Amino acid sequence: MADTQLFEIDGSVLEGGGQILRMALCFSVLTKTPVRIRNIRQGRKKPGLAAQHLAGVELMRDICQGRLYKACLGSTEIEFYPGHIEHGRFVGHIQTAGSITLLLQATLPVAIFSSGPVTLDLRGGTNTDLAPQVDFLTEIFRPNMERFGASFDFDLIRRGYFPKGGGQCVIEVRPVQSLRPVTMVDVGSVTRFFGWSYVAGVLPLKIAHEMSSGAKSILNQIANSRADIEVYKESMDMAPEGNCSGIIIGCETSTGAILGGSALGEARKKSFQSGEEAAHEIQSAISVGACVDRHVQDMMIILMALADGTSRIRTEPLTMHTKTAIYVTELMTKAKFNIIEGNGSAIIECVGIGLRNINLPKNNTSY
């Protein structure tokens, strides 16, 4: 379907993966800008829409009652015409172990600017490689999102692991009138470490203990603060299929910063090492005074851009995901970013666009 009014986006630039697609669709809906996205995932071994990306664009279409063209498995170009952001229940069903959390990342900013409560029924992989584990999103990202004045409720029905998937989460999102800007430049001192180390399927519990020990060996070097890491085996009811092991750890500081690290167990790697790697992610951030970890870093960009005012966040040096997020954001909105680098860290400044929820009645407090 040809339309000269379509905003053209090249999906091959910078990170060159699904992130450009997700962010472009999100801003398309929020700014009511029809888009043509080409060269989708050009930087990947298998370019084009995989199952999780197809489920994501279809979910976004449903939430805003939009129109979607050329979208099928393997598509390297789509056209998307956004409509009005609706409220109600929407299902995003990935037919593989593709990541549920990437679906949630894409749709959350849209859902918080809806006309009423939104329920997202998401099905696929909950703890997968190359994506945040669901526990990381709820325990590390969500507190950071709440600083902007928005949140979500989360109900884990069933876990889904590679290669079968089959996981299910139900997320309840309440809309907001607008997002407030945040200032996070002083990480303060560590007050506590917390986390979860788990196994599922036929894997022995000792693997979870080893991951926990590996994490603690690094956390003890960061601060003299006890690490409260719960070690457990998932029940068959929660994880009926597949074997998996992983660890999610968090760090809370005196200024309220929440940083995280995570890892999945791998057959070719010692479990102790997986725990160390998760803790190193926190150590890396703390060592330069960052107020968010490298994984939350890029997730904050869209919230900063939508906020009503100027936000400042101290981070580690910018990741490629963050550079890509800033590129797409400046391309599609009037938000302006400024990066101040020095002493091994960076301060991301953003003058947000102050998006107002025109779908929500003014002074509505029922949500």
Side-chain angles (χ1 to χ4, degrees):
M1 179 173 178
D3 190 323
T4 56
Q5 300 303 309
L6 282 171
F7 191 89
E8 297 271 353
I9 297 171
D10 184 350
S12 69
V13 301
L14 295 169
E15 190 265 342
Q19 182 191 22
I20 297 175
L21 172 73
R22 289 187 292 271
M23 292 196 68
L25 290 179
C26 183
F27 283 127
S28 170
V29 175
L30 293 174
T31 64
K32 300 189 181 301
T33 305
V35 293
R36 176 186 292 116
I37 308 170
R38 51 190 174 79
N39 298 326
I40 294 172
R41 300 182 68 244
Q42 202 65 44
R44 299 297 182 258
K45 288 183 180 179
K46 287 186 176 180
L49 298 178
Q52 73 180 36
H53 308 103
L54 181 59
V57 297
E58 291 176 341
L59 177 60
M60 197 72 86
R61 173 200 63 195
D62 294 345
I63 290 175
C64 74
Q65 302 298 297
R67 290 176 290 138
L68 177 64
Y69 299 93
K70 305 180 183 178
C72 61
L73 286 176
S75 294
T76 57
E77 180 179 308
I78 64 168
E79 295 179 5
F80 183 76
Y81 298 80
H84 178 76
I85 304 174
E86 299 290 339
H87 63 274
R89 188 180 188 89
F90 304 95
V91 177
H93 192 178
I94 307 170
Q95 305 294 331
T96 67
S99 173
I100 284 174
T101 59
L102 294 181
L103 286 189
L104 183 56
Q105 269 188 42
T107 50
L108 258 180
V110 170
I112 62 177
F113 284 94
S114 65
S115 55
V118 170
T119 299
L120 300 171
D121 183 344
L122 307 181
R123 307 177 190 189
T126 59
N127 301 74
T128 62
D129 198 15
L130 302 177
Q133 299 186 60
V134 288
D135 318 75
F136 185 93
L137 217 63
T138 59
E139 306 308 315
I140 308 299
F141 169 68
R142 179 166 54 180
N144 282 292
M145 177 182 180
E146 287 172 347
R147 285 176 172 254
F148 291 87
S151 189
F152 59 92
D153 293 327
F154 182 91
D155 189 12
L156 180 61
I157 309 299
R158 188 170 53 253
R159 291 193 183 270
Y161 307 127
F162 182 83
K164 291 189 176 180
Q168 182 180 9
C169 305
V170 177
I171 296 94
E172 305 282 350
V173 186
R174 293 174 298 279
V176 298
Q177 292 283 2
S178 62
L179 296 178
R180 58 175 176 259
V182 303
T183 297
M184 302 165 61
V185 293
D186 179 11
V187 71
S189 57
V190 173
T191 56
R192 71 179 183 113
F193 296 113
F194 59 94
W196 301 265
S197 184
Y198 67 90
V199 293
V202 301
L203 299 181
L205 187 61
K206 73 171 186 177
I207 290 177
H209 280 289
E210 289 169 357
M211 286 190 293
S212 175
S213 296
K216 288 178 179 179
S217 73
I218 302 301
L219 297 178
N220 289 337
Q221 299 173 29
I222 302 173
N224 185 23
S225 184
R226 181 172 173 269
D228 183 15
I229 300 177
E230 180 185 350
V231 175
Y232 69 99
K233 185 177 180 102
E234 285 286 6
S235 69
M236 288 300 294
D237 290 340
M238 181 60 74
E241 292 188 277
N243 304 313
C244 188
S245 64
I247 184 168
I248 299 95
I249 49 180
C251 170
E252 186 173 357
T253 77
S254 57
T255 58
I258 302 287
L259 304 102
S262 62
L264 287 175
E266 298 180 39
R268 64 180 183 277
K269 184 187 298 180
K270 291 182 178 180
S271 304
F272 190 88
Q273 187 180 350
S274 294
E276 287 181 314
E277 289 179 359
H280 274 308
E281 294 182 348
I282 292 177
Q283 185 182 46
S284 177
I286 291 290
S287 69
V288 298
C291 295
V292 296
D293 59 76
R294 69 185 66 167
H295 300 296
V296 169
Q297 183 189 108
D298 66 276
M299 299 183 206
M300 303 296 269
I301 298 303
I302 192 167
L303 300 174
M304 295 173 80
L306 298 176
D308 188 12
T310 300
S311 295
R312 300 176 77 239
I313 301 178
R314 186 183 299 278
T315 70
E316 293 179 80
L318 270 56
T319 65
M320 182 56 73
H321 273 98
T322 300
K323 291 176 182 178
T324 303
I326 291 173
Y327 168 79
V328 177
T329 301
E330 290 192 328
L331 189 68
M332 296 193 67
T333 75
K334 293 180 179 179
K336 296 299 178 186
F337 287 85
N338 180 41
I339 311 301
I340 305 168
E341 297 177 300
N343 299 320
S345 69
I347 293 180
I348 304 174
E349 292 183 340
C350 175
V351 180
I353 63 174
L355 186 68
R356 298 285 170 176
N357 190 346
I358 60 173
N359 303 303
L360 194 63
K362 287 185 177 181
N363 301 320
N364 192 318
T365 59
S366 62
Y367 304 128

